[in-house]
């Protein structure tokens, strides 16, 4: 969900959204910090939404942030400059053809990337190869199947399923969050620990109601309306009913839940 | 899910299960403690699974634990005695006909009870009436719609849906966890805060694989096999396939997630 996620938070100046983004940033990143002098490879940095947080929280580590899109990298570089960061180098690269020698990084960081790849196990094996022995990898992904809400709605679930199916047809996996443990183990990482990070939203948390339920998650589902209808996955009126019902969860008596997963693994000798 | 939940943890001597139960007890109860001298009403204490934890953690508070079943109360009393607790009185009572005067307790505690009631709002209003002004209520409930897993399985989801439907036909609501916020607000509590408590299970946590995924959740779903088949909700072979697929999530590459919700509210003046 990287693109919509990114745009949901960072293309706006609204102070409330900044506060809410702060809440989510803490939820996902507060337990990630890299020691002084260590080198960190960030793969799939996109427009730098995570980069600014990561590098800002570990000012004495050196980051190499790569992405497959020159356009995104240019925006990421602007953001890093605006944030006054001097510990990040940006580089154009494909995760499956990284231009670095083996075992050249102390740590690897990947956020909202594996969900888009048809070969996530292979990608993780490549990233393991980039790590020095004793290094760590941190992976963060969402899971659209973790979304549930009050009032419940079959139409809303059907609209979300369209997003999952469209991402599947594009070669990705919108339910990858729950799979991080077997993926990490399957690619040979040790000491793997996965922790869920729940975004729980009720009307006592208006920043999340607006910033997460409305402008991130529901907006993201809305984004597949045309393609899902053209693909014959759903009737337009059913999809629209689902979107209506997702917005319904943002009323005073509504509740919305979504879970991100964060996995950390180590590269052991041998 | 109180009955199966209770029996899943406490009818066994197995040390690993005790450890795992400890993990869940911490997850649900570690942030609940009552001041010395305060009076606490526990409604629907069942066989005392929560009572022992609650009263043990607040040894200088006085608990009144009520249940509708004399049989359960007798077992609860045995457990409290075995735990050496002297700060609990047990009393036979129906939540809708409580034998106490209004505003006679400092705090109220309700765990795995509202899910079984057809009138949870009314129950909460009655409990609010039992509270002194300035007192708190703590409510804990599960939500079977929060269960998701890897490998995903439509048959497993269908079997879980049978449990949800059977509970609905019995007048309850197995999806009540996500509704705690509107229920608490709707019954007039103030300063309501709801927090999700995720039980995340992968094979690095064998105690939870055995104690939660296998012996609590899947066993609970299995428990409705006959009634769901008789009710015509599902074909027996489909149900059995779903159970098989739930057990499949306990293998080395499997993952299982479930979320409990804990709500705390206050009774303000007026």
């Amino acid at each position: 969900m990287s693109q919509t996620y990114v745009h949901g938070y960072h293309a706006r100046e609204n102070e409330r959204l900044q506060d809410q983004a702060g809440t989510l940033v803490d939820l996902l990143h507060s337990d990630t910090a890299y020691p002084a002098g260590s080198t960190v490879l960030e793969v799939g940095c996109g427009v730098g939404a995570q980069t600014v947080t990561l590098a800002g929280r570990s000012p004495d580590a050196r980051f190499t942030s790569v992405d497959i899109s020159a356009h995104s990298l240019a925006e990421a570089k602007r953001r890093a400059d605006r944030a006054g960061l001097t510990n990040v180098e940006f580089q154009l690269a494909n995760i499956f053809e990284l231009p670095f020698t083996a075992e050249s990084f102390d740590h690897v960081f990947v956020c909202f990337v594996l969900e888009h790849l048809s070969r996530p196990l292979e990608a993780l094996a490549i990233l393991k190869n980039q790590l020095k022995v004793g290094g760590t990898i941190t992976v963060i992904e969402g899971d659209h199947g973790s979304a549930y809400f009050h009032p419940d709605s079959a139409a809303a679930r059907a609209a979300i399923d369209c997003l999952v199916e469209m991402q599947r047809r594009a070669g990705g996996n919108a339910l990858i969050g729950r799979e991080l443990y077997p993926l990490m183990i399957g690619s040979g990482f040790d000491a793997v620990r996965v922790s869920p990070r729940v975004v729980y939203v009720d009307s006592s948390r208006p920043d999340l109601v607006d910033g997460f339920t409305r402008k991130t998650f529901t907006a993201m589902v809305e984004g597949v309306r045309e393609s899902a209808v053209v693909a014959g996955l759903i009737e337009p009126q059913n999809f629209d009913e689902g979107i209506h019902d997702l917005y319904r969860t943002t009323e005073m008596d509504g509740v919305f839940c979504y879970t991100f997963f964060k996995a950390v693994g180590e590269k052991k000798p041998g």
Side-chain angles (χ1 to χ4, degrees), chain A:
Chain A
M1 65 190 277
S2 59
Q3 291 307 310
T4 310
Y5 180 81
V6 164
H7 296 151
Y9 293 126
H10 294 277
R12 295 182 179 86
E13 303 301 319
N14 187 307
E15 194 174 290
R16 287 204 316 157
L17 287 183
Q18 295 296 329
D19 291 348
Q20 168 271 323
T23 303
L24 273 173
V25 163
D26 282 346
L27 184 74
L28 299 181
H29 301 301
S30 65
D31 53 348
T32 297
Y34 297 107
S38 62
T39 56
V40 183
L41 173 63
E42 183 195 14
V43 178
C45 67
V47 297
Q50 322 301 327
T51 314
V52 171
T53 300
L54 266 191
R57 282 174 181 258
S58 298
D60 298 318
R62 306 269 335 154
F63 291 81
T64 302
S65 295
V66 307
D67 199 85
I68 199 172
S69 158
H71 183 76
S72 293
L73 273 182
E75 170 62 15
K77 191 164 182 343
R78 272 192 295 276
R79 287 182 185 208
D81 290 345
R82 212 180 305 140
L85 296 171
T86 58
N87 58 335
V88 187
E89 279 184 30
F90 292 98
Q91 194 165 334
L92 192 68
N94 181 329
I95 190 171
F96 292 106
E97 297 166 6
L98 291 171
F100 311 110
T101 54
E103 310 206 340
S104 51
F105 293 94
D106 295 308
H107 303 286
V108 168
F109 181 89
V110 199
C111 185
F112 307 143
V113 173
L114 298 186
E115 60 168 328
H116 299 297
L117 305 179
S118 57
R119 294 170 288 155
L121 264 178
E122 187 179 328
L124 286 171
I126 287 169
L127 296 177
K128 183 168 174 247
N129 184 250
Q130 295 291 322
L131 267 182
K132 296 178 189 171
V133 170
T136 71
I137 186 169
T138 299
V139 182
I140 301 176
E141 295 288 346
D143 188 316
H144 295 353
S146 76
Y148 55 100
F149 31 82
H150 174 74
D152 194 11
S153 155
R157 283 184 269 123
I160 294 169
D161 286 346
C162 289
L163 175 57
V164 173
E165 176 61 16
M166 293 308 294
Q167 192 158 337
R168 193 188 68 76
R169 293 184 181 192
N173 178 5
L175 310 179
I176 201 167
R178 73 189 72 176
E179 291 189 41
L180 288 189
Y181 183 80
L183 287 169
M184 296 276 280
I185 295 292
S187 51
F189 286 102
D190 287 292
V192 175
R193 295 301 287 175
V194 175
S195 57
R197 313 283 165 117
V198 181
V199 184
Y200 168 81
V201 188
D202 63 34
S203 58
S204 73
R205 311 176 196 221
D207 298 336
L208 285 171
V209 170
D210 195 48
F212 190 79
T213 310
R214 276 201 199 100
K215 291 178 177 158
T216 298
F217 189 82
T218 305
M220 182 172 58
V221 178
E222 273 188 289
V224 300
R225 183 185 190 279
E226 291 314 305
S227 52
V229 168
V230 168
L233 296 183
I234 197 166
E235 294 297 319
Q237 62 270 31
N238 295 349
F239 190 91
D240 294 343
E241 183 189 346
I243 296 299
H244 169 272
D245 289 352
L246 285 174
Y247 283 117
R248 171 67 184 82
T249 72
T250 68
E251 293 182 23
M252 285 305 288
D253 63 348
V255 174
F256 187 88
C257 300
Y258 187 92
T259 302
F260 296 94
F261 290 83
K262 183 169 185 172
V264 179
E266 294 175 23
K267 179 176 180 172
K268 289 277 171 66

